[in-house]
């Protein structure tokens, strides 16, 4: 799933797992947390392990993306629309 997500968002798997915090990468990473949580029901710890982050970071990212989508932030909604139908294969 992470490879398909990377392909759609234009952020590489390596960037998602990196320490880079540019807005494009950080937003994509937070959206990945949200997608993974909703699609797989993985726990926060497992999602964090997938991208080298702590569970608390994953929680904050999910909350941030959910909030942005709820207030109809254009960039967040556009990204969510692109990725929300990715199927879980692992």
């Amino acid at each position: 799933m992470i490879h398909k997500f990377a392909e759609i968002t234009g952020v590489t798997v390596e960037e998602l797992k990196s320490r880079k915090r540019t807005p494009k990468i950080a937003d994509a990473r937070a959206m990945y947390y949200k997608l993974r949580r909703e699609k797989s029901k993985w726990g926060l710890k497992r999602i964090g392990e997938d991208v080298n982050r702590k569970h608390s970071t994953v929680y904050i990212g999910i909350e941030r993306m959910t909030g942005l989508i709820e207030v109809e932030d254009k960039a967040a909604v556009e990204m969510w629309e692109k990725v929300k139908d990715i199927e879980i294969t692992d």
Side-chain angles (χ1 to χ4, degrees):
M1 176 184 154
I2 196 168
H3 295 285
K4 182 68 173 174
F5 181 89
E7 179 184 321
I8 290 171
T9 61
V11 176
T12 68
V13 172
E14 293 76 21
E15 288 171 324
L16 290 170
K17 293 182 176 192
S18 76
R19 302 308 300 167
K20 293 180 183 177
R21 297 188 302 175
T22 64
K24 179 181 178 180
I25 296 170
D27 288 348
R29 191 181 295 125
M31 189 63 76
Y32 176 74
Y33 304 153
K34 177 176 172 51
L35 182 68
R36 182 51 96 169
R37 180 72 169 170
E38 290 190 11
K39 291 284 189 166
S40 68
K41 302 302 183 199
W42 277 7
L44 300 177
K45 183 177 182 204
R46 177 65 186 97
I47 296 168
E49 289 170 351
D50 196 38
V51 289
N52 305 316
R53 295 293 184 283
K54 295 180 180 179
H55 74 280
S56 57
T57 303
V58 173
Y59 175 79
I60 291 166
I62 292 169
E63 290 294 308
R64 185 168 65 85
M65 281 299 134
T66 300
L68 289 173
I69 291 168
E70 286 175 359
V71 299
E72 298 179 6
D73 176 81
K74 184 178 179 183
V77 170
E78 286 177 4
M79 188 185 310
W80 181 246
E81 289 299 319
K82 289 179 184 178
V83 302
K84 70 180 183 179
D85 294 323
I86 295 174
E87 294 296 322
I88 297 293
T89 58
D90 53 359

